[in-house]
């Protein structure tokens, strides 16, 4: 089962019925987040798909509406007694930004592993997906992510010919 859910699509100004940027991606019970706007952990809880299965977070860029939810998410994962490492991927500057946000979430029950990308690396694997980062023009370091789920094609031309 593969699922995508936009937890938030709002811009810089939070709106009562429109949360800040976050996308929850689930593949066979394993999941990741793309961006983590303020209150993302609330959206995950409302969705009911779980926090413990989040293996990583892909950050597109460092505008507050895309990263301000990291401290709350990290603390929520600690409250949920997470032990496994959480991998966070993002553009150059990720270590600095996450370090600043961690000032208000200094003690966690799990290690955070940071991966700074510039968009020309080979694809990496996470939750069964092959992920390719590519640079975007947004006035600051910014990455897009291509998610590829390797699987055999549903149509088999050899079987079709035989039939």
């Amino acid at each position: 089962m593969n699922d995508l859910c936009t937890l938030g699509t709002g811009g810089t100004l939070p709106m009562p019925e429109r949360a800040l940027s976050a996308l929850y991606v689930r593949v066979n019970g394993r999941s990741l987040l793309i961006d983590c706007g303020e209150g993302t952990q609330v959206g995950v809880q409302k969705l009911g798909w779980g926090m413990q299965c989040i293996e990583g977070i892909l950050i597109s860029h460092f505008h507050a509406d895309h990263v301000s939810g990291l401290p709350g998410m990290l603390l929520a994962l600690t409250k949920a007694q997470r032990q496994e490492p959480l991998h966070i991927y993002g553009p150059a500057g990720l270590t600095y930004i996450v370090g600043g946000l961690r000032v208000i979430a200094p003690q966690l029950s799990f290690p955070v592993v940071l991966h700074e990308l510039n968009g020309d690396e080979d694809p990496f694997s996470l939750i069964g997906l092959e992920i390719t980062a590519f640079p975007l023009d947004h006035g600051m370091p910014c990455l897009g992510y291509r998610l590829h789920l390797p699987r055999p094609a549903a149509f088999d031309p050899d079987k079709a010919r035989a039939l």
Side-chain angles (χ1 to χ4, degrees):
M1 174 74 68
N2 308 316
D3 299 292
L4 296 135
C5 182
T6 52
L7 300 174
T9 59
T12 305
L13 180 63
M15 300 172 75
E17 300 301 321
R18 192 167 173 200
L20 296 181
S21 298
L23 175 69
Y24 191 112
V25 178
R26 184 170 66 169
V27 176
N28 297 320
R30 300 169 68 192
S31 61
L32 63 83
L33 292 173
I34 300 177
D35 289 332
C36 191
E38 185 178 339
T40 295
Q41 75 276 20
V42 175
V44 171
Q45 298 239 341
K46 283 182 183 176
L47 184 61
W49 289 356
M51 273 195 238
Q52 286 288 16
C53 58
I54 296 172
E55 296 180 25
I57 301 174
L58 309 177
I59 300 295
S60 62
H61 65 288
F62 304 127
H63 283 149
D65 55 320
H66 292 259
V67 296
S68 61
L70 278 173
M73 177 58 70
L74 297 175
L75 291 171
L77 289 168
T78 290
K79 282 276 209 192
Q81 300 177 358
R82 180 191 187 92
Q83 299 295 312
E84 300 79 25
L86 177 69
H87 293 265
I88 302 177
Y89 299 81
L94 181 72
T95 302
Y96 176 75
I97 296 296
V98 173
L101 293 169
R102 288 282 313 272
V103 167
I104 57 176
Q107 295 182 329
L108 303 174
S109 61
F110 57 93
V112 174
V113 182
L114 302 176
H115 305 270
E116 287 198 12
L117 308 172
N118 57 27
D120 65 359
E121 297 85 4
D122 290 333
F124 57 94
S125 295
L126 190 62
I127 71 163
L129 296 170
E130 289 178 7
I131 301 171
T132 305
F134 54 92
L136 296 173
D137 183 12
H138 194 54
M140 64 171 15
C142 184
L143 296 173
Y145 296 98
R146 177 181 177 267
L147 310 178
H148 174 71
L149 179 61
R151 58 183 174 178
F155 178 76
D156 183 340
D158 294 330
K159 283 185 181 178
R161 282 188 204 94
L163 291 173

